[in-house]
Amino acid sequence: MPNPVAPGRIAGGSSGGSAAALVAGLADAALGSDTGGSIRIPAACCGVVGFKPTYGLVSLEGCFPLAPSFDHAGPMARTVEACADVLRALVPGFATTAAPKPRDLRVATTWLDRADPLVRARVAEAAALLGARDAIEIPEPKGIYRLFQYEVARVHEGLFPEHQESYGEDVREKLLDCFEVTEREAEAAARTRELYRERCLELLEPFDLLLAPTLALVAPPVGRIGNDERGLLTQFTFPINALGWPALALPCGPAEDGLPASVQIVGRPGDDALVLAVGASLERGTPDPS
């Protein structure tokens, strides 16, 4: 899918069409799916807003699964307010809230040191507006991806063996790897995920929210990222899928090549309204570094 913001750059995966349609003015709001970052990555690439809710908040009924315990659906729009409007339509009874004053928030940052220089600078500016003074290191979700792969294989085990030539080459390549994962490996990965969730909640305990880059870089050129490099795009998004926490991707100013950087606002499970409220406040107050 071409990126209307930057011809020759990717619009992001899976929900890239939704993000591109928003930028092109073809839609005021859209839906996206997010199993490893496919709401937030297109939002970051195209300079729009994307929200991955707490796991299970938005029903996935009628959606074809990818990896069920990682799958999320959520809204995309040009503003945080529009995303909140869509979420209220998706979740009857969902109530937004007013944003706390920055001095009343306890905000930490993570992963800034792994982002490109201008992306890091833009995210740091957003963090400063919220009074974030502490950095914590959210660990990588090591060993958990095997569970993701096992679930993918189970979704396709009735189709793939007889129809694998109908799959695209890159998808077929990934599925073959997924079918190598054993049930025992998946069970071990599920236990690892539970420990990972406990550890990350402990790290976040002194804080209300976590700020991170959505992507380490601006939208890369078409063809640069293959299967072997896909982790470059998902390194800051997949951990939040493994956790099931709410996360908002929000443009925060121009970075490398003049393309938009994106900050990711992350909360604890169930803190969707807080994440959206703080995102809306940040959206109103983020200066344009240009």
Side-chain angles (χ1 to χ4, degrees), residues 224-252:
R224 175 185 168 186
I225 306 295
N227 280 346
D228 292 340
E229 299 86 24
R230 195 168 298 273
L232 181 64
L233 294 180
T234 61
Q235 60 179 317
F236 304 150
T237 55
F238 179 72
I240 314 304
N241 289 87
L243 292 167
W245 296 1
L248 178 75
L250 176 69
C252 58

Side-chain angles (χ1 to χ4, degrees), residues 76-160:
M76 303 173 70
R78 288 187 287 274
T79 67
V80 177
E81 182 180 0
C83 270
D85 288 340
V86 176
L87 190 62
R88 282 192 289 268
L90 293 170
V91 184
F94 178 79
T96 51
T97 186
K101 295 183 183 302
R103 66 175 177 270
D104 296 328
L105 280 172
R106 302 168 301 165
V107 182
T109 62
T110 193
W111 303 326
L112 268 68
D113 58 331
R114 291 159 56 183
D116 285 353
L118 291 181
V119 171
R120 180 168 64 247
R122 299 293 85 84
V123 174
E125 288 166 357
L129 286 171
L130 295 178
R133 298 181 182 87
D134 296 283
I136 61 176
E137 184 60 34
I138 297 296
E140 296 180 22
K142 292 182 179 179
I144 297 173
Y145 192 65
R146 301 298 273 175
L147 176 61
F148 176 96
Q149 290 179 300
Y150 183 81
E151 291 186 9
V152 171
R154 301 290 72 74
V155 169
H156 290 270
E157 62 187 350
L159 293 171
F160 185 74

Side-chain angles (χ1 to χ4, degrees), residues 31-34 39 51-53 57-60 63 71-75 87 90:
L31 298 178
S33 61
D34 194 312
I39 288 173
F51 182 58
K52 183 196 80 63
L57 180 64
V58 174
S59 172
L60 291 173
C63 299
D71 290 347
H72 301 68
L87 190 62
L90 293 170

Side-chain angles (χ1 to χ4, degrees), residues 6-287:
R9 304 293 183 112
I10 68 168
S14 295
S15 302
S18 292
L22 291 167
V23 174
L26 301 177
D28 293 325
L31 298 178
S33 61
D34 194 312
T35 304
S38 292
I39 288 173
R40 292 159 290 154
I41 293 170
C45 288
C46 294
V48 297
V49 181
F51 182 58
K52 183 196 80 63
T54 296
Y55 178 76
L57 180 64
V58 174
S59 172
L60 291 173
E61 184 177 356
C63 299
F64 190 84
L66 176 54
S69 73
F70 296 83
D71 290 347
H72 301 68
M76 303 173 70
R78 288 187 287 274
T79 67
V80 177
E81 182 180 0
C83 270
D85 288 340
V86 176
L87 190 62
R88 282 192 289 268
L90 293 170
V91 184
F94 178 79
T96 51
T97 186
K101 295 183 183 302
R103 66 175 177 270
D104 296 328
L105 280 172
R106 302 168 301 165
V107 182
T109 62
T110 193
W111 303 326
L112 268 68
D113 58 331
R114 291 159 56 183
D116 285 353
L118 291 181
V119 171
R120 180 168 64 247
R122 299 293 85 84
V123 174
E125 288 166 357
L129 286 171
L130 295 178
R133 298 181 182 87
D134 296 283
I136 61 176
E137 184 60 34
I138 297 296
E140 296 180 22
K142 292 182 179 179
I144 297 173
Y145 192 65
R146 301 298 273 175
L147 176 61
F148 176 96
Q149 290 179 300
Y150 183 81
E151 291 186 9
V152 171
R154 301 290 72 74
V155 169
H156 290 270
E157 62 187 350
L159 293 171
F160 185 74
E162 294 184 11
H163 302 283
Q164 60 176 288
E165 295 307 317
S166 299
Y167 287 73
E169 182 178 352
D170 60 336
V171 175
R172 184 166 61 247
E173 179 181 293
K174 288 190 288 185
L175 276 170
L176 288 170
D177 288 339
C178 290
F179 279 103
E180 295 296 319
V181 180
T182 66
E183 183 176 3
R184 178 173 292 183
E185 288 175 314
E187 290 171 350
R191 291 191 295 271
T192 299
R193 181 169 65 176
E194 290 308 309
L195 294 173
Y196 181 68
R197 288 172 169 171
E198 291 174 9
R199 176 57 179 153
C200 290
L201 280 172
E202 290 174 359
L203 290 168
L204 194 61
E205 196 279 330
F207 305 101
D208 299 303
L209 293 171
L210 184 66
L211 260 65
T214 306
L215 291 176
L217 68 171
V218 298
V222 173
R224 175 185 168 186
I225 306 295
N227 280 346
D228 292 340
E229 299 86 24
R230 195 168 298 273
L232 181 64
L233 294 180
T234 61
Q235 60 179 317
F236 304 150
T237 55
F238 179 72
I240 314 304
N241 289 87
L243 292 167
W245 296 1
L248 178 75
L250 176 69
C252 58
E256 279 75 12
D257 301 322
L259 298 178
S262 177
V263 60
Q264 189 174 197
I265 305 172
V266 181
R268 293 179 182 81
D271 281 351
D272 302 72
L274 175 64
V275 170
L276 288 166
V278 171
S281 176
L282 187 59
E283 185 177 58
R284 291 191 295 269
T286 301

